[in-house]
Amino acid sequence: MIEALALPLLAGPPWPDGGWLLAGLLFGRPLPPDERLVDRRIRLHDGRELQTADIIHRYPGKRVLLNGVLGDVEVVAKFYLGRFAGWREWSRGLRGSRALQDSGVPAPAVLHAAYAAPAHAWLTVLERIHIDEPWPPRGRVDDRLNLRMVETLLQHHRNGIIQNDLNWANFLPQRGTLYSIDGDRVHRFRAPLSRRRTLANLVRFYGYKTMFDERQILAGHAHYCRLRGWSTDDTERDRLLRAIHLARRNTAGRVAARSLRGWKHYRQQRRGGRRSIADRRRLPPMLQP
């Protein structure tokens, strides 16, 4: 009965953002399959219509990213599923996306953010960044991209931004610039980051990117310090390399442990009384400009 009364309200005139947050938490419906969000025309509470297209990426039961069009602008629509868990992730991601945009870091504009009643999900609509070179990088990464990533992180740090999810998919190249497209793990500080925090972020970056060798790591560190006007010495370089090697071992251990438990793309399954881990990744084709 309550839900029957709520649906006309959710489909009615635009509400203030606070009203939509409350409405979504109180009257959200069960989650639809991801496929129900593909090729749909969704009326937003401000009167505009979002036309969704194909799925870019999905996290089953959590969120799904789709290409789309809002008005005459090509966009990426991020749907966060779940009345409560979805709201927490949506609000965190929206806060990070706005921090990127407001800080001056190259990032897509936030075009819409609210509870989308027709989709029964929290929605953030971002400007779509069209890549103009093959991405993500495959195999061995050349020295130019190494320095380019370091310069991108430097720009973040100077603007008080720290990105803790340094996946290649969270950066997209356009006209020689790497755009930061994901705010889910972004934090903003009031001032440029300290040396301690910036070096920790470099350790995080190289700790996950095992395709960079020691020579490239030291070149990236030297380039970063030179651009910040910092001096460095062998003690700091040795400490940096030790921290990166430790981070790589710890990362490998965490991924292995999560995979054994069943994590993200890896799911546990039982057959004939035996337990195994199934790799359910769908490797996307190489992105082309």
Side-chain angles (χ1 to χ4, degrees), residues 228-248:
R228 289 292 295 263
W230 293 345
S231 61
T232 186
D233 55 28
D234 290 341
T235 300
E236 182 177 81
R237 287 188 285 270
D238 290 342
R239 188 166 59 245
L240 179 75
L241 287 177
R242 287 197 301 271
I244 290 170
H245 290 318
L246 179 60
R248 289 180 174 180

Side-chain angles (χ1 to χ4, degrees), residues 18-33:
W20 279 89
L21 292 176
L22 180 61
L25 289 172
L26 294 178
F27 306 120
R29 281 185 166 185
L31 304 181

Side-chain angles (χ1 to χ4, degrees), residues 79-188:
F79 292 91
Y80 294 79
L81 309 175
R83 284 182 294 172
F84 295 97
W87 174 78
R88 287 194 298 269
E89 291 207 13
W90 170 81
S91 59
R92 183 184 68 182
L94 176 60
R95 184 168 57 249
S97 293
R98 285 178 170 163
L100 288 170
Q101 182 180 356
D102 295 344
S103 70
V105 166
V110 178
L111 303 178
H112 179 83
Y115 182 75
H120 317 302
W122 302 96
L123 171 64
T124 298
V125 181
L126 300 171
E127 171 192 12
R128 183 178 176 186
I129 304 299
H130 289 275
I131 63 173
D132 52 11
E133 61 185 85
W135 194 264
R138 303 289 183 177
R140 183 175 176 80
V141 181
D142 64 32
D143 293 344
R144 288 175 300 175
L145 182 56
N146 178 32
L147 300 185
R148 192 177 176 192
M149 279 301 305
V150 166
E151 291 167 3
T152 299
L153 294 179
L154 170 65
Q155 189 174 21
H156 283 201
H157 299 162
R158 278 178 168 166
N159 287 278
I161 293 291
I162 191 164
Q163 167 63 275
N164 286 316
D165 188 352
L166 297 169
N167 193 307
W168 290 122
N170 291 335
F171 299 88
L172 292 181
Q174 186 182 85
R175 300 194 199 98
T177 297
L178 287 176
Y179 283 74
S180 300
I181 64 169
D182 189 3
D184 289 342
R185 299 286 301 280
V186 165
H187 297 279
R188 187 181 184 187

Side-chain angles (χ1 to χ4, degrees), residues 189-210:
F189 297 85
R190 296 181 179 178
L193 299 190
S194 66
R195 184 166 188 150
R196 178 181 61 83
R197 280 201 170 106
T198 57
L199 292 178
N201 201 222
L202 286 178
V203 168
R204 190 179 190 91
F205 172 68
Y206 286 119
Y208 278 94
K209 300 292 182 290
T210 57

